[in-house]
Amino acid sequence: MATTTGVDETARLKIKEGVVVSDKMDKTVVVAVQRLVRHRLYRRVIRRTRRFKAHDATNDCRVGDRVRIQECRPLSKEKCWRVIEVISRAK
């Protein structure tokens, strides 16, 4: 859907990739996204993890699945991400 500025609305939405760490809620999964950052003082690379609650409309995701999530409008107090695809299943 094009806006008046000519920028595609979906192009600005953030997309992240992570691993499902919890699927105990109905239609919601918790996805852990890791990123590497360099320590400011010691210059060592550190792994930082952030957990996002994402909407899983089909209750398809299981713990250990690698998924891609996309930013969306707030669906609840803490949930503003949506699962767009399952990249790989857990072993």
Side-chain angles (χ1 to χ4, degrees):
M1 150 177 162
T3 59
T4 55
T5 58
V7 177
D8 188 15
E9 193 67 31
T10 56
R12 291 187 293 153
L13 297 176
K14 297 182 185 91
I15 293 177
K16 296 185 183 293
E17 197 173 298
V19 178
V20 176
V21 292
S22 173
D23 64 346
K24 292 178 190 278
M25 295 169 276
D26 185 35
K27 296 189 178 183
T28 303
V29 291
V30 179
V31 180
V33 176
Q34 288 189 344
R35 64 189 177 94
L36 298 175
V37 293
R38 189 169 296 278
H39 193 281
R40 288 191 315 209
L41 178 61
Y42 301 117
R43 295 295 185 215
R44 179 148 166 72
V45 176
I46 304 169
R47 187 176 288 133
R48 294 281 182 203
T49 304
R50 178 108 189 264
R51 292 161 49 113
F52 297 96
K53 287 190 174 73
H55 184 67
D56 177 24
T58 58
N59 272 332
D60 193 32
C61 298
R62 295 288 167 251
V63 174
D65 290 354
R66 186 154 202 78
V67 295
R68 189 167 285 133
I69 59 175
Q70 181 180 33
E71 191 179 36
C72 65
R73 65 183 177 83
L75 299 170
S76 69
K77 179 182 174 183
E78 297 178 328
K79 188 165 66 167
C80 56
W81 294 84
R82 180 173 283 132
V83 175
I84 54 175
E85 73 172 306
V86 178
I87 300 166
S88 63
R89 295 282 176 191
K91 301 274 189 219

